[in-house]
Amino acid sequence: MSGGAKIPFNIIDTALSSLKNSQSFINSGMDIATKTALDLVESFNDEEDINSMEKVMLEFAAMDRSLNNYIRAFEETVNQVKREKPEIIPDLENLVQEKLTTIENKNSDSDLKSNEKYVYFMDQLKEMKKQFRQISDNDDETIEQIDEDIAVTRSQMNFICPITQMEMRRPVRNKVCGHTYEEEAIVEIIQSRKQRKKKVRCPKMGCSHDDVKRSDLVPDEALKRVIDSQNK
C-alpha cells in the first residue's frame, strides 16, 4: 500500500483517552477505602475489619497496575507503528498483547505496596491508630481515668502550624520530610517563592529539606480528624 497503511489513529487515541479516564474510578475507590478505614479506627472497630480495608486497597492497587500496564503496552505499540509506518495494517491486538506480556513478566508483589495511594493509606492508617487506639483497651477503667488519659495525650500533641503558629484546620503533610503545615499558608509561600524563581525551605525548625514543592503535599486526614475530635 503506497504511503503506508491508513490506520485510524484518531480513533485509537480516543480509546486510549477513555482508558486513562477509567483510572479516575480506581482513584475514587481508593479514596473511599481510605476514608472508610479511618472511620473504622475512629469508631474503635475490630482490627479484622480495619485489615479488610487494606486488602481492598491492595486489590485496587492491582487494578491500577493492570490498567497502567495495558495503557503503557497500548501506547508503546501505537508509537512503534507510527514510527515504522508499515505497508500492511498490523494486528494491533496481538502486538499489544505481546508487549503487555513482556511488561507483566516484570511485575512483583512489591509493586502493589509502592502504589502512591496505598502508601498514603498505610501512612494515614498508622497515624490514626496511634492517636485513636490509645484507649481502646481501657474498657475496665472509669470515665475519669479515661478523661485523664485523653487530657495527657492532648497536652503532648502539637497541632500548631509552624508558619501561622495557630492550630491547623486543613493540615497537609510533606511526603519528603514528613512535617505538617496549614495548607493555605504553605501554598501561599510556595507560590510567592515560585514567582521569584526561588526554592522553599521547610518552615519546621531544624528541618534540612530546602525544596518544598506543592506536589509533595498530601492532605493529613488523620491529623485533621484528631484536631476536629478535640474541638467538638
Side-chain angles (χ1 to χ4, degrees), residues 31-57:
D31 290 340
I32 292 172
T34 299
K35 291 183 183 299
T36 301
L38 298 184
D39 286 340
L40 291 171
V41 175
E42 191 171 359
S43 302
F44 303 110
N45 277 263
D46 291 337
E47 192 70 20
E48 184 177 347
D49 293 334
I50 298 169
N51 290 339
S52 68
M53 297 313 301
E54 181 182 351
K55 295 178 182 178
V56 170
M57 287 295 290

PDB file of all heavy atoms in Angstrom, residues 31-57:
ATOM      1  N   ASP A  31      -9.760   6.320  47.445  1.00  0.00           N
ATOM      2  CA  ASP A  31     -10.039   7.411  48.384  1.00  0.00           C
ATOM      3  C   ASP A  31     -11.152   7.014  49.356  1.00  0.00           C
ATOM      4  O   ASP A  31     -11.069   7.285  50.566  1.00  0.00           O
ATOM      5  CB  ASP A  31     -10.450   8.678  47.623  1.00  0.00           C
ATOM      6  CG  ASP A  31      -9.293   9.308  46.865  1.00  0.00           C
ATOM      7  OD1 ASP A  31      -8.135   9.009  47.208  1.00  0.00           O
ATOM      8  OD2 ASP A  31      -9.549  10.085  45.925  1.00  0.00           O
ATOM      9  N   ILE A  32     -12.189   6.371  48.828  1.00  0.00           N
ATOM     10  CA  ILE A  32     -13.306   5.936  49.673  1.00  0.00           C
ATOM     11  C   ILE A  32     -12.832   4.868  50.662  1.00  0.00           C
ATOM     12  O   ILE A  32     -13.205   4.886  51.845  1.00  0.00           O
ATOM     13  CB  ILE A  32     -14.457   5.384  48.797  1.00  0.00           C
ATOM     14  CG1 ILE A  32     -15.091   6.524  47.986  1.00  0.00           C
ATOM     15  CG2 ILE A  32     -15.511   4.705  49.675  1.00  0.00           C
ATOM     16  CD1 ILE A  32     -16.096   6.063  46.961  1.00  0.00           C
ATOM     17  N   ALA A  33     -12.002   3.936  50.194  1.00  0.00           N
ATOM     18  CA  ALA A  33     -11.486   2.879  51.066  1.00  0.00           C
ATOM     19  C   ALA A  33     -10.636   3.476  52.194  1.00  0.00           C
ATOM     20  O   ALA A  33     -10.696   3.016  53.341  1.00  0.00           O
ATOM     21  CB  ALA A  33     -10.660   1.885  50.259  1.00  0.00           C
ATOM     22  N   THR A  34      -9.869   4.494  51.873  1.00  0.00           N
ATOM     23  CA  THR A  34      -9.041   5.159  52.888  1.00  0.00           C
ATOM     24  C   THR A  34      -9.910   5.821  53.949  1.00  0.00           C
ATOM     25  O   THR A  34      -9.683   5.650  55.156  1.00  0.00           O
ATOM     26  CB  THR A  34      -8.126   6.212  52.236  1.00  0.00           C
ATOM     27  OG1 THR A  34      -7.247   5.572  51.304  1.00  0.00           O
ATOM     28  CG2 THR A  34      -7.290   6.933  53.292  1.00  0.00           C
ATOM     29  N   LYS A  35     -10.920   6.559  53.521  1.00  0.00           N
ATOM     30  CA  LYS A  35     -11.813   7.237  54.471  1.00  0.00           C
ATOM     31  C   LYS A  35     -12.571   6.219  55.329  1.00  0.00           C
ATOM     32  O   LYS A  35     -12.779   6.433  56.528  1.00  0.00           O
ATOM     33  CB  LYS A  35     -12.791   8.140  53.716  1.00  0.00           C
ATOM     34  CG  LYS A  35     -12.142   9.346  53.055  1.00  0.00           C
ATOM     35  CD  LYS A  35     -13.165  10.236  52.376  1.00  0.00           C
ATOM     36  CE  LYS A  35     -12.506  11.404  51.648  1.00  0.00           C
ATOM     37  NZ  LYS A  35     -11.744  12.276  52.573  1.00  0.00           N
ATOM     38  N   THR A  36     -12.970   5.117  54.709  1.00  0.00           N
ATOM     39  CA  THR A  36     -13.685   4.073  55.449  1.00  0.00           C
ATOM     40  C   THR A  36     -12.798   3.474  56.526  1.00  0.00           C
ATOM     41  O   THR A  36     -13.235   3.248  57.667  1.00  0.00           O
ATOM     42  CB  THR A  36     -14.166   2.967  54.496  1.00  0.00           C
ATOM     43  OG1 THR A  36     -15.038   3.524  53.508  1.00  0.00           O
ATOM     44  CG2 THR A  36     -14.909   1.879  55.266  1.00  0.00           C
ATOM     45  N   ALA A  37     -11.542   3.206  56.186  1.00  0.00           N
ATOM     46  CA  ALA A  37     -10.603   2.637  57.164  1.00  0.00           C
ATOM     47  C   ALA A  37     -10.391   3.595  58.329  1.00  0.00           C
ATOM     48  O   ALA A  37     -10.345   3.176  59.492  1.00  0.00           O
ATOM     49  CB  ALA A  37      -9.271   2.324  56.484  1.00  0.00           C
ATOM     50  N   LEU A  38     -10.279   4.888  58.033  1.00  0.00           N
ATOM     51  CA  LEU A  38     -10.085   5.872  59.095  1.00  0.00           C
ATOM     52  C   LEU A  38     -11.331   5.967  59.978  1.00  0.00           C
ATOM     53  O   LEU A  38     -11.228   6.134  61.200  1.00  0.00           O
ATOM     54  CB  LEU A  38      -9.751   7.233  58.490  1.00  0.00           C
ATOM     55  CG  LEU A  38      -8.460   7.309  57.659  1.00  0.00           C
ATOM     56  CD1 LEU A  38      -8.193   8.730  57.199  1.00  0.00           C
ATOM     57  CD2 LEU A  38      -7.270   6.775  58.448  1.00  0.00           C
ATOM     58  N   ASP A  39     -12.497   5.832  59.347  1.00  0.00           N
ATOM     59  CA  ASP A  39     -13.750   5.812  60.121  1.00  0.00           C
ATOM     60  C   ASP A  39     -13.767   4.622  61.081  1.00  0.00           C
ATOM     61  O   ASP A  39     -14.206   4.742  62.225  1.00  0.00           O
ATOM     62  CB  ASP A  39     -14.953   5.711  59.181  1.00  0.00           C
ATOM     63  CG  ASP A  39     -15.235   7.019  58.441  1.00  0.00           C
ATOM     64  OD1 ASP A  39     -14.762   8.068  58.915  1.00  0.00           O
ATOM     65  OD2 ASP A  39     -15.920   6.971  57.404  1.00  0.00           O
ATOM     66  N   LEU A  40     -13.303   3.478  60.608  1.00  0.00           N
ATOM     67  CA  LEU A  40     -13.297   2.267  61.429  1.00  0.00           C
ATOM     68  C   LEU A  40     -12.369   2.419  62.631  1.00  0.00           C
ATOM     69  O   LEU A  40     -12.698   2.001  63.742  1.00  0.00           O
ATOM     70  CB  LEU A  40     -12.865   1.062  60.583  1.00  0.00           C
ATOM     71  CG  LEU A  40     -13.858   0.603  59.507  1.00  0.00           C
ATOM     72  CD1 LEU A  40     -13.220  -0.451  58.612  1.00  0.00           C
ATOM     73  CD2 LEU A  40     -15.129   0.047  60.149  1.00  0.00           C
ATOM     74  N   VAL A  41     -11.200   3.020  62.398  1.00  0.00           N
ATOM     75  CA  VAL A  41     -10.272   3.238  63.503  1.00  0.00           C
ATOM     76  C   VAL A  41     -10.868   4.204  64.514  1.00  0.00           C
ATOM     77  O   VAL A  41     -10.822   3.979  65.724  1.00  0.00           O
ATOM     78  CB  VAL A  41      -8.924   3.789  62.983  1.00  0.00           C
ATOM     79  CG1 VAL A  41      -8.007   4.132  64.159  1.00  0.00           C
ATOM     80  CG2 VAL A  41      -8.242   2.775  62.078  1.00  0.00           C
ATOM     81  N   GLU A  42     -11.449   5.272  64.005  1.00  0.00           N
ATOM     82  CA  GLU A  42     -12.021   6.301  64.879  1.00  0.00           C
ATOM     83  C   GLU A  42     -13.181   5.747  65.700  1.00  0.00           C
ATOM     84  O   GLU A  42     -13.445   6.205  66.814  1.00  0.00           O
ATOM     85  CB  GLU A  42     -12.491   7.490  64.037  1.00  0.00           C
ATOM     86  CG  GLU A  42     -12.860   8.718  64.842  1.00  0.00           C
ATOM     87  CD  GLU A  42     -13.099   9.933  63.977  1.00  0.00           C
ATOM     88  OE1 GLU A  42     -12.962   9.832  62.733  1.00  0.00           O
ATOM     89  OE2 GLU A  42     -13.420  10.992  64.527  1.00  0.00           O
ATOM     90  N   SER A  43     -13.869   4.759  65.147  1.00  0.00           N
ATOM     91  CA  SER A  43     -15.017   4.160  65.846  1.00  0.00           C
ATOM     92  C   SER A  43     -14.612   2.943  66.677  1.00  0.00           C
ATOM     93  O   SER A  43     -15.469   2.237  67.202  1.00  0.00           O
ATOM     94  CB  SER A  43     -16.082   3.739  64.821  1.00  0.00           C
ATOM     95  OG  SER A  43     -16.507   4.847  64.047  1.00  0.00           O
ATOM     96  N   PHE A  44     -13.289   2.692  66.763  1.00  0.00           N
ATOM     97  CA  PHE A  44     -12.757   1.578  67.546  1.00  0.00           C
ATOM     98  C   PHE A  44     -13.340   0.238  67.105  1.00  0.00           C
ATOM     99  O   PHE A  44     -13.763  -0.579  67.925  1.00  0.00           O
ATOM    100  CB  PHE A  44     -13.026   1.789  69.046  1.00  0.00           C
ATOM    101  CG  PHE A  44     -12.462   3.075  69.566  1.00  0.00           C
ATOM    102  CD1 PHE A  44     -13.299   4.113  69.940  1.00  0.00           C
ATOM    103  CD2 PHE A  44     -11.094   3.242  69.659  1.00  0.00           C
ATOM    104  CE1 PHE A  44     -12.772   5.308  70.414  1.00  0.00           C
ATOM    105  CE2 PHE A  44     -10.561   4.436  70.141  1.00  0.00           C
ATOM    106  CZ  PHE A  44     -11.403   5.468  70.514  1.00  0.00           C
ATOM    107  N   ASN A  45     -13.386   0.013  65.806  1.00  0.00           N
ATOM    108  CA  ASN A  45     -13.870  -1.261  65.285  1.00  0.00           C
ATOM    109  C   ASN A  45     -12.793  -2.340  65.418  1.00  0.00           C
ATOM    110  O   ASN A  45     -11.626  -2.068  65.697  1.00  0.00           O
ATOM    111  CB  ASN A  45     -14.270  -1.114  63.803  1.00  0.00           C
ATOM    112  CG  ASN A  45     -15.658  -0.562  63.639  1.00  0.00           C
ATOM    113  OD1 ASN A  45     -16.603  -1.292  63.453  1.00  0.00           O
ATOM    114  ND2 ASN A  45     -15.787   0.768  63.715  1.00  0.00           N
ATOM    115  N   ASP A  46     -13.219  -3.596  65.174  1.00  0.00           N
ATOM    116  CA  ASP A  46     -12.293  -4.712  65.270  1.00  0.00           C
ATOM    117  C   ASP A  46     -11.147  -4.563  64.271  1.00  0.00           C
ATOM    118  O   ASP A  46     -11.329  -4.051  63.161  1.00  0.00           O
ATOM    119  CB  ASP A  46     -13.017  -6.039  64.990  1.00  0.00           C
ATOM    120  CG  ASP A  46     -14.000  -6.388  66.100  1.00  0.00           C
ATOM    121  OD1 ASP A  46     -13.814  -5.882  67.219  1.00  0.00           O
ATOM    122  OD2 ASP A  46     -14.941  -7.162  65.831  1.00  0.00           O
ATOM    123  N   GLU A  47      -9.978  -5.057  64.681  1.00  0.00           N
ATOM    124  CA  GLU A  47      -8.792  -4.991  63.829  1.00  0.00           C
ATOM    125  C   GLU A  47      -9.029  -5.733  62.510  1.00  0.00           C
ATOM    126  O   GLU A  47      -8.527  -5.333  61.460  1.00  0.00           O
ATOM    127  CB  GLU A  47      -7.595  -5.596  64.553  1.00  0.00           C
ATOM    128  CG  GLU A  47      -6.258  -5.330  63.878  1.00  0.00           C
ATOM    129  CD  GLU A  47      -5.822  -3.879  63.981  1.00  0.00           C
ATOM    130  OE1 GLU A  47      -6.326  -3.169  64.873  1.00  0.00           O
ATOM    131  OE2 GLU A  47      -4.971  -3.468  63.172  1.00  0.00           O
ATOM    132  N   GLU A  48      -9.818  -6.780  62.562  1.00  0.00           N
ATOM    133  CA  GLU A  48     -10.107  -7.563  61.360  1.00  0.00           C
ATOM    134  C   GLU A  48     -10.830  -6.711  60.312  1.00  0.00           C
ATOM    135  O   GLU A  48     -10.550  -6.806  59.118  1.00  0.00           O
ATOM    136  CB  GLU A  48     -10.957  -8.784  61.714  1.00  0.00           C
ATOM    137  CG  GLU A  48     -11.217  -9.715  60.525  1.00  0.00           C
ATOM    138  CD  GLU A  48     -12.004 -10.950  60.921  1.00  0.00           C
ATOM    139  OE1 GLU A  48     -12.136 -11.202  62.140  1.00  0.00           O
ATOM    140  OE2 GLU A  48     -12.463 -11.651  60.016  1.00  0.00           O
ATOM    141  N   ASP A  49     -11.772  -5.883  60.774  1.00  0.00           N
ATOM    142  CA  ASP A  49     -12.495  -5.002  59.857  1.00  0.00           C
ATOM    143  C   ASP A  49     -11.552  -3.996  59.210  1.00  0.00           C
ATOM    144  O   ASP A  49     -11.653  -3.691  58.019  1.00  0.00           O
ATOM    145  CB  ASP A  49     -13.609  -4.257  60.597  1.00  0.00           C
ATOM    146  CG  ASP A  49     -14.713  -5.182  61.065  1.00  0.00           C
ATOM    147  OD1 ASP A  49     -14.887  -6.246  60.442  1.00  0.00           O
ATOM    148  OD2 ASP A  49     -15.392  -4.852  62.054  1.00  0.00           O
ATOM    149  N   ILE A  50     -10.640  -3.475  60.024  1.00  0.00           N
ATOM    150  CA  ILE A  50      -9.683  -2.484  59.520  1.00  0.00           C
ATOM    151  C   ILE A  50      -8.728  -3.132  58.520  1.00  0.00           C
ATOM    152  O   ILE A  50      -8.444  -2.568  57.460  1.00  0.00           O
ATOM    153  CB  ILE A  50      -8.899  -1.858  60.691  1.00  0.00           C
ATOM    154  CG1 ILE A  50      -9.867  -1.117  61.624  1.00  0.00           C
ATOM    155  CG2 ILE A  50      -7.828  -0.907  60.181  1.00  0.00           C
ATOM    156  CD1 ILE A  50      -9.255  -0.682  62.934  1.00  0.00           C
ATOM    157  N   ASN A  51      -8.251  -4.331  58.849  1.00  0.00           N
ATOM    158  CA  ASN A  51      -7.330  -5.031  57.944  1.00  0.00           C
ATOM    159  C   ASN A  51      -7.987  -5.382  56.616  1.00  0.00           C
ATOM    160  O   ASN A  51      -7.320  -5.471  55.583  1.00  0.00           O
ATOM    161  CB  ASN A  51      -6.805  -6.309  58.603  1.00  0.00           C
ATOM    162  CG  ASN A  51      -5.862  -6.014  59.757  1.00  0.00           C
ATOM    163  OD1 ASN A  51      -5.295  -4.927  59.833  1.00  0.00           O
ATOM    164  ND2 ASN A  51      -5.687  -6.975  60.649  1.00  0.00           N
ATOM    165  N   SER A  52      -9.299  -5.592  56.650  1.00  0.00           N
ATOM    166  CA  SER A  52     -10.006  -5.924  55.409  1.00  0.00           C
ATOM    167  C   SER A  52      -9.917  -4.763  54.413  1.00  0.00           C
ATOM    168  O   SER A  52      -9.905  -4.978  53.198  1.00  0.00           O
ATOM    169  CB  SER A  52     -11.472  -6.259  55.702  1.00  0.00           C
ATOM    170  OG  SER A  52     -12.193  -5.112  56.135  1.00  0.00           O
ATOM    171  N   MET A  53      -9.832  -3.524  54.935  1.00  0.00           N
ATOM    172  CA  MET A  53      -9.723  -2.366  54.047  1.00  0.00           C
ATOM    173  C   MET A  53      -8.342  -2.312  53.394  1.00  0.00           C
ATOM    174  O   MET A  53      -8.208  -1.833  52.268  1.00  0.00           O
ATOM    175  CB  MET A  53      -9.993  -1.078  54.826  1.00  0.00           C
ATOM    176  CG  MET A  53     -11.397  -0.981  55.412  1.00  0.00           C
ATOM    177  SD  MET A  53     -12.717  -1.419  54.224  1.00  0.00           S
ATOM    178  CE  MET A  53     -12.441  -0.223  52.913  1.00  0.00           C
ATOM    179  N   GLU A  54      -7.328  -2.826  54.099  1.00  0.00           N
ATOM    180  CA  GLU A  54      -6.008  -2.889  53.477  1.00  0.00           C
ATOM    181  C   GLU A  54      -6.030  -3.851  52.293  1.00  0.00           C
ATOM    182  O   GLU A  54      -5.421  -3.595  51.243  1.00  0.00           O
ATOM    183  CB  GLU A  54      -4.954  -3.336  54.485  1.00  0.00           C
ATOM    184  CG  GLU A  54      -3.556  -3.382  53.879  1.00  0.00           C
ATOM    185  CD  GLU A  54      -2.492  -3.864  54.844  1.00  0.00           C
ATOM    186  OE1 GLU A  54      -2.798  -4.011  56.042  1.00  0.00           O
ATOM    187  OE2 GLU A  54      -1.351  -4.110  54.397  1.00  0.00           O
ATOM    188  N   LYS A  55      -6.752  -4.965  52.452  1.00  0.00           N
ATOM    189  CA  LYS A  55      -6.884  -5.917  51.351  1.00  0.00           C
ATOM    190  C   LYS A  55      -7.600  -5.280  50.164  1.00  0.00           C
ATOM    191  O   LYS A  55      -7.247  -5.515  49.009  1.00  0.00           O
ATOM    192  CB  LYS A  55      -7.645  -7.161  51.823  1.00  0.00           C
ATOM    193  CG  LYS A  55      -6.907  -7.971  52.885  1.00  0.00           C
ATOM    194  CD  LYS A  55      -7.734  -9.154  53.351  1.00  0.00           C
ATOM    195  CE  LYS A  55      -7.023  -9.937  54.443  1.00  0.00           C
ATOM    196  NZ  LYS A  55      -7.842 -11.070  54.944  1.00  0.00           N
ATOM    197  N   VAL A  56      -8.616  -4.461  50.480  1.00  0.00           N
ATOM    198  CA  VAL A  56      -9.336  -3.753  49.417  1.00  0.00           C
ATOM    199  C   VAL A  56      -8.387  -2.809  48.679  1.00  0.00           C
ATOM    200  O   VAL A  56      -8.406  -2.729  47.449  1.00  0.00           O
ATOM    201  CB  VAL A  56     -10.522  -2.958  50.014  1.00  0.00           C
ATOM    202  CG1 VAL A  56     -11.127  -2.023  48.958  1.00  0.00           C
ATOM    203  CG2 VAL A  56     -11.596  -3.900  50.535  1.00  0.00           C
ATOM    204  N   MET A  57      -7.541  -2.112  49.440  1.00  0.00           N
ATOM    205  CA  MET A  57      -6.593  -1.184  48.820  1.00  0.00           C
ATOM    206  C   MET A  57      -5.617  -1.924  47.913  1.00  0.00           C
ATOM    207  O   MET A  57      -5.265  -1.430  46.833  1.00  0.00           O
ATOM    208  CB  MET A  57      -5.825  -0.426  49.910  1.00  0.00           C
ATOM    209  CG  MET A  57      -6.644   0.634  50.627  1.00  0.00           C
ATOM    210  SD  MET A  57      -7.162   2.002  49.542  1.00  0.00           S
ATOM    211  CE  MET A  57      -5.588   2.820  49.246  1.00  0.00           C
TER     212      MET A  57
END
